[in-house]
Amino acid sequence: ATTAITCSGSESCIEAKSIKSDGNIICSGNIACHASTELISTGSDIVCSGPESCAEISNIMVENGNNIQCTGSAACSDSVLTTQYGDIMCDGDKGCVNSKVLNEEDNSVWCNGHDACRKLSVNNIKGSIECHG
């Protein structure tokens, strides 16, 4: 069985040293996981739906074809995002602004929110980058 971690309250998991799971990691509260050292899911998606919920994190990583979803306003801003075969979805306004994407295998980056990928740095892209915001 997988273990999901949910940080739904405002500042609920802020500045955590490490949040690791084999299930979903959901940061839905306002600045819920902000400035944590790392968010790592080995078996499911990481969902950052709260405003600035996953901002200023130096290692947000999913493995095994799972996705990172940055749906909140500035949800993954100023962070480093890494996937293995999975996609990164920057759907929130300024969702991935000023962040860095480190791709390890074939994957795509989706920039659907307004200013979602402004100042985004992408290294080693093997899939596609699509900007609709």
Side-chain angles (χ1 to χ4, degrees), residues 56-79:
E56 297 183 35
I57 298 176
S58 59
N59 185 22
I60 301 174
M61 181 168 57
V62 291
E63 300 175 354
N64 304 319
N66 296 298
N67 303 313
I68 299 173
Q69 301 176 38
C70 304
T71 59
S73 177
C76 299
S77 60
D78 300 297
S79 294

Side-chain angles (χ1 to χ4, degrees), residues 11-129:
E11 301 183 27
S12 53
C13 300
I14 195 170
E15 297 179 1
K17 182 175 179 185
S18 178
I19 299 173
K20 292 183 181 179
S21 179
D22 59 354
N24 283 317
I25 297 174
I26 301 168
C27 300
S28 56
N30 184 38
I31 63 172
C33 302
H34 183 94
S36 295
T37 303
E38 62 183 11
L39 299 178
I40 299 173
S41 178
T42 57
S44 201
D45 288 357
I46 294 176
V47 179
C48 302
S49 56
E52 296 184 45
S53 54
C54 300
E56 297 183 35
I57 298 176
S58 59
N59 185 22
I60 301 174
M61 181 168 57
V62 291
E63 300 175 354
N64 304 319
N66 296 298
N67 303 313
I68 299 173
Q69 301 176 38
C70 304
T71 59
S73 177
C76 299
S77 60
D78 300 297
S79 294
V80 179
L81 310 144
T82 306
T83 65
Q84 297 172 332
Y85 297 105
D87 292 339
I88 296 172
M89 279 91 81
C90 302
D91 293 335
D93 289 352
K94 298 182 180 172
C96 298
V97 74
N98 202 36
S99 289
K100 180 183 262 186
V101 172
L102 304 175
N103 295 311
E104 297 196 356
E105 298 296 340
D106 186 31
N107 57 355
S108 296
V109 178
W110 301 86
C111 303
N112 297 322
H114 179 72
D115 272 346
C117 294
R118 181 195 240 206
K119 296 185 179 180
L120 180 73
S121 165
V122 180
N123 294 358
N124 200 29
I125 188 81
K126 294 184 174 99
S128 63
I129 300 174

